[in-house]
């Protein structure tokens, strides 16, 4: 049995109630296991996940050098520092979902690096060199809360543009089941108990300068526009079923 099958078969179903977050429990109740559930069920010590495509595969939208540094240096740094912080707290066997759900704002090492590890792991899965267009059924689901696909893209892009300094844009499923876009500062995410707009992350966009500066310099809006050319709609749809 490989790791994914193990998670699918035995861990994901119960992991979130065990993790302690009522939001996590209610958001995943009745859901089949998806890639976000699988990330949250991972147990430490953590390791850098594969990108799933070559570093240059997203060019010209995201260049190879940016992807190589972002994945191999930045994300690896979050993983290394997260493992060190958890070891210090004797918490290195906890699940990623449990770690995020149990965070206090003052635990900055785990907040920054645990957030950094989850956020980037999801972000890579939100990118695809063969992005295509959203299916009709995905478009219908997004249109329910945003009016249309364009309405969704505009709202998400605005959330990304609206981050002051470093942070992330998110599509989330709220506790009432509706979809919303939001953003978070630094490496925070909507799973953290102190998030202004809590919810289950469905799509993530990194708007730290390290995500785009080599290619776009100060033009964050151009990077955000190009994100739509590499947005992994299929993976998003799988999270919504
Ligand atoms: Mn980053």
């Amino acid at each position: 049995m490989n790791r994914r099958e193990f998670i699918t078969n035995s861990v994901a179903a119960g992991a979130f109630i065990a993790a302690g977050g009522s939001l996590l429990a209610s958001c995943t109740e009745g859901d089949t296991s998806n890639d976000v559930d699988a990330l949250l069920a991972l147990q430490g010590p953590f390791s850098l996940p594969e990108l799933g495509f070559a570093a240059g595969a997203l060019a010209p939208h995201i260049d190879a050098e940016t992807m190589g540094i972002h994945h191999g240096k930045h994300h690896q740094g979050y993983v290394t520092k997260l493992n060190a912080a958890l070891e210090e707290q004797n918490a290195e066997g906890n699940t990623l979902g449990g770690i995020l759900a149990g965070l206090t704002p003052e635990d900055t090492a785990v907040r920054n690096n645990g957030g950094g590890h989850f956020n980037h792991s999801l972000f890579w899965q939100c990118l695809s060199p063969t992005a295509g267009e959203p299916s009709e059924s995905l478009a219908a689901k997004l249109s329910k809360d945003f009016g249309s696909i364009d309405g969704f893209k505009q709202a998400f892009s605005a959330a990304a543009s609206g981050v002051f300094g470093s942070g992330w844009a998110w599509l989330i499923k709220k506790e009432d089941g509706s979809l919303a876009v939001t953003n978070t500062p630094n490496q925070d995410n909507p799973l953290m108990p102190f998030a202004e707009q809590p919810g289950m992350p469905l799509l993530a966009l990194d708007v730290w300068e390290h995500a785009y500066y080599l290619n776009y310099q100060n033009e964050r809006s151009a990077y955000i526009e190009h994100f739509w050319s590499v947005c992994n709609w299929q993976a998003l749809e799988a999270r919504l079923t």
Side-chain angles (χ1 to χ4, degrees), residues 183-217:
N183 56 39
T184 54
N186 304 314
Q187 296 296 351
D188 285 1
N189 67 47
L191 292 166
M192 296 179 179
F194 42 86
E196 259 181 56
Q197 173 71 275
M200 181 56 71
L202 300 171
L203 191 70
L205 179 60
D206 188 342
V207 292
W208 283 57
E209 283 186 347
H210 68 226
Y212 62 86
Y213 209 84
L214 292 178
N215 214 9
Y216 297 100
Q217 289 79 51

Side-chain angles (χ1 to χ4, degrees), residues 14-212:
F16 305 105
I17 293 152
S22 65
L23 171 76
L24 289 172
S26 67
C27 280
T28 54
E29 202 177 338
D31 285 1
T32 52
S33 173
N34 64 36
D35 64 344
V36 178
D37 294 334
L39 280 179
L40 293 171
L42 290 176
Q43 279 182 292
F46 299 100
S47 54
L48 185 68
E50 298 284 328
L51 267 184
F53 45 81
L58 305 175
H61 309 291
I62 306 178
D63 62 285
E65 192 181 7
T66 296
M67 285 302 295
I69 296 169
H70 200 175
H71 177 250
K73 304 289 183 193
H74 289 278
H75 190 174
Q76 180 64 63
Y78 298 121
V79 170
T80 303
K81 289 178 191 159
L82 173 62
N83 287 335
L86 292 174
E87 199 181 337
E88 213 161 273
Q89 300 177 10
N90 290 317
E92 62 266 43
N94 290 3
T95 64
L96 192 50
I99 288 163
L100 295 174
L103 257 186
T104 59
E106 297 76 26
D107 189 355
T108 50
V110 176
R111 179 179 180 174
N112 292 336
N113 297 296
H117 179 44
F118 172 82
N119 299 352
H120 288 87
S121 298
L122 177 58
F123 181 44
W124 313 137
Q125 294 170 188
C126 293
L127 301 172
S128 169
T130 54
E133 295 295 327
S135 71
E136 270 181 45
S137 65
L138 176 58
K141 280 178 183 154
L142 292 170
S143 298
K144 221 164 79 180
D145 289 292
F146 301 102
S148 63
I149 278 286
D150 280 347
F152 162 65
K153 285 184 180 178
Q154 277 170 24
F156 188 90
S157 294
S161 300
V163 174
F164 181 76
S166 300
W168 292 77
W170 305 93
L171 171 67
I172 57 168
K173 189 200 250 181
K174 296 196 289 185
E175 210 158 358
D176 66 6
S178 65
L179 304 180
V181 296
T182 185
N183 56 39
T184 54
N186 304 314
Q187 296 296 351
D188 285 1
N189 67 47
L191 292 166
M192 296 179 179
F194 42 86
E196 259 181 56
Q197 173 71 275
M200 181 56 71
L202 300 171
L203 191 70
L205 179 60
D206 188 342
V207 292
W208 283 57
E209 283 186 347
H210 68 226
Y212 62 86

